[in-house]
Amino acid sequence: MADYYVQMENMTVGYNGKPLIRDICIGIRKGQIVSLIGPNGAGKSTILKSITRQLKMVGGTVFLEKKDIQRISARDMATRMAVVLTERMQPELMTCHDVVATGRYPYTGRLGLLTLEDEEKVEAAMRAVHAQEIGNRDFNAISDGQRQRVLLARAICQEPEVIILDEPTSFLDIRHKLELLSILRNMAKKKGITVIMSLHEIDLAEKISDMIVCVKGERIFRCGKPEEIFREETIRELYGIDNGYFDPCFGSLELPRPEGDPKVFVISSCGTGIPVYRKLQKEGIPFAAGILFENDMDYQLARLLAGAVVTERPFEEISDRAYREALSWVQSCSQVIDAGVTFGQGNRRLKELLDEAGRLGRLRK
């Protein structure tokens, strides 16, 4: 089992003894952040619930620090693993502070009385998620986003070695998504807490995770480092994308390019074309773009959204071949857009294209 902290060996999960995903073999080191991604209904939550023993595994074993989790007592499990799932709990007559305080119960005596030290840890956890101002409010009377923060605070004050989260960012706005993930990153990197979670926002999963597990079909579709997983074809196949694109450079999802022959030719450089491409796409106007060096950020998006792209090799001067191709678009399109070009030694011939567009009365800035 090497030095893995969490080890899944031939783990098979499902319901009522019927396998959904078979033979899961994944090793996770202490302090790593692991994200499960994949289409709805693929089984991400089933895997998480099986790790936390809320579902009985169909087969295989999960080890926590080389110990079979099935042999760990409920009390010890509660001190080592914290869980934040998507099911909406509705405790009666409990304030947010009360809910967070339940994270300390595995450490209390039979009467469940919190010590001063326990109370201090509850308050510290609430401060960590910026929820101290809602401590006295009824848990059932706060927003979904606030609930998520309170439940994370409960997990934090549990002082776990492993934290399991099922779609923790689902009800959060952008600010609080980033805030929550920053908290998880600090927990992992500064305290050595292992984080295993499912995420729908693949752009965030790419940025925070040490390992990505792709869940699709009867076996794990793919598993590896973010730079190995977040490639255009991998994400397309994982989610069955046939109505748009995944851009690995920006980590963004893009709608399909406008159909038809290009009516507009966009000349740009250094990112100035990106807002123009998006506006033309929204208006359904097919366009061509160029002359773009293949290391220009404009090229990364143009190759997905433009009907045609005239390219040149990085750090080379514009060749006659590329110039003639671009000139043909200037002459055939009804409009040429100057999105803003910074001229240098390599791309000075773009000025000739703009001059020709101006001579033809087709230039628009």
Side-chain angles (χ1 to χ4, degrees):
M1 285 186 283
D3 57 348
Y4 293 128
Y5 194 72
V6 178
Q7 175 78 44
M8 304 170 211
E9 285 195 355
N10 300 312
M11 177 186 181
T12 297
V13 302
Y15 295 88
N16 301 317
K18 296 181 179 179
L20 176 64
I21 306 172
R22 303 173 184 270
D23 302 324
I24 302 170
C25 296
I26 298 172
I28 303 170
R29 301 184 190 281
K30 188 174 180 64
Q32 278 194 315
I33 298 178
V34 178
S35 295
L36 279 59
I37 66 171
N40 289 334
K44 300 184 295 295
S45 297
T46 305
I47 293 174
L48 297 180
K49 289 179 180 178
S50 298
I51 295 173
T52 60
R53 304 196 307 196
Q54 295 188 28
L55 279 178
K56 184 178 180 180
M57 286 187 293
V58 178
T61 310
V62 176
F63 295 94
L64 178 59
E65 204 172 16
K66 300 183 180 180
K67 188 172 183 179
D68 185 345
I69 64 168
Q70 301 300 328
R71 299 179 181 274
I72 301 176
S73 69
R75 184 180 183 87
D76 286 346
M77 194 74 167
T79 61
R80 303 182 72 176
M81 182 180 291
V83 183
V84 181
L85 299 180
T86 52
E87 283 83 356
R88 299 183 61 162
M89 59 180 289
Q90 293 185 318
E92 295 295 332
L93 303 176
M94 289 184 71
T95 66
C96 295
H97 179 278
D98 294 335
V99 171
V100 175
T102 62
R104 297 303 303 166
Y105 286 175
Y107 301 94
T108 62
R110 292 182 179 180
L111 297 178
L113 299 177
L114 270 63
T115 65
L116 179 60
E117 182 183 359
D118 290 324
E119 287 288 358
E120 289 174 349
K121 290 180 178 180
V122 171
E123 293 298 329
M126 296 191 74
R127 286 196 299 273
V129 300
H130 304 292
Q132 63 269 35
E133 74 281 359
I134 59 173
N136 293 324
R137 293 182 59 183
D138 184 341
F139 181 78
N140 291 324
I142 60 176
S143 70
D144 287 332
Q146 289 171 323
R147 287 179 185 224
Q148 201 77 332
R149 289 157 62 194
V150 169
L151 294 177
L152 179 60
R154 182 183 66 172
I156 290 173
C157 79
Q158 197 172 326
E159 297 185 317
E161 299 168 7
V162 180
I163 182 169
I164 309 288
L165 307 102
D166 192 9
E167 300 177 20
T169 57
S170 293
F171 303 112
L172 302 180
D173 59 31
I174 294 174
R175 173 192 169 188
H176 290 109
K177 284 180 195 286
L178 296 174
E179 192 171 78
L180 182 144
L181 293 178
S182 294
I183 292 168
L184 292 177
R185 182 175 58 191
N186 287 336
M187 291 171 66
K189 304 311 173 188
K190 294 182 180 179
K191 298 184 178 181
I193 296 173
T194 303
V195 178
I196 306 173
M197 61 182 167
S198 63
L199 281 178
H200 277 307
E201 299 93 334
I202 60 175
D203 56 331
L204 296 179
E206 180 180 12
K207 293 172 176 65
I208 192 173
S209 307
D210 299 303
M211 182 194 302
I212 299 292
V213 179
C214 301
V215 183
K216 180 184 181 182
E218 289 191 356
R219 284 178 168 78
I220 294 299
F221 175 72
R222 199 155 294 171
C223 180
K225 297 178 181 178
E227 56 269 27
E228 298 169 343
I229 299 299
F230 287 99
R231 297 176 178 176
E232 192 172 342
E233 290 306 315
T234 301
I235 298 301
R236 178 187 298 277
E237 188 176 353
L238 174 62
Y239 288 97
I241 299 173
D242 58 5
N243 56 348
Y245 313 95
F246 170 73
D247 183 353
C249 181
F250 297 106
S252 62
L253 295 172
E254 303 293 343
L255 294 171
R257 62 171 62 93
E259 295 183 359
D261 296 329
K263 301 177 181 178
V264 176
F265 185 59
V266 182
I267 300 176
S268 66
S269 68
C270 304
T272 60
I274 290 175
V276 180
Y277 304 158
R278 295 201 186 282
K279 184 174 182 180
L280 292 170
Q281 181 199 41
K282 291 175 186 176
E283 295 178 0
I285 300 173
F287 65 94
I291 302 170
L292 293 174
F293 294 95
E294 293 171 356
N295 61 342
D296 193 313
M297 62 188 303
D298 277 344
Y299 167 74
Q300 299 299 328
L301 187 60
R303 67 187 182 85
L304 299 178
L305 301 188
V309 184
V310 184
T311 64
E312 188 54 86
R313 294 175 60 184
F315 311 113
E316 300 282 347
E317 292 192 11
I318 292 175
S319 63
D320 290 340
R321 183 272 312 162
Y323 181 81
R324 287 194 300 269
E325 185 180 349
L327 183 61
S328 69
W329 285 115
V330 168
Q331 294 170 340
S332 63
C333 288
S334 58
Q335 190 174 89
V336 176
I337 297 178
D338 175 5
V341 179
T342 300
F343 295 105
Q345 182 65 27
N347 71 345
R348 64 186 187 281
R349 297 187 76 178
L350 291 180
K351 190 173 188 308
E352 298 176 33
L353 293 175
L354 294 172
D355 290 342
E356 177 63 13
R359 188 186 69 78
L360 296 171
R362 298 173 184 173
L363 183 62
R364 173 186 167 191
K365 290 186 179 292

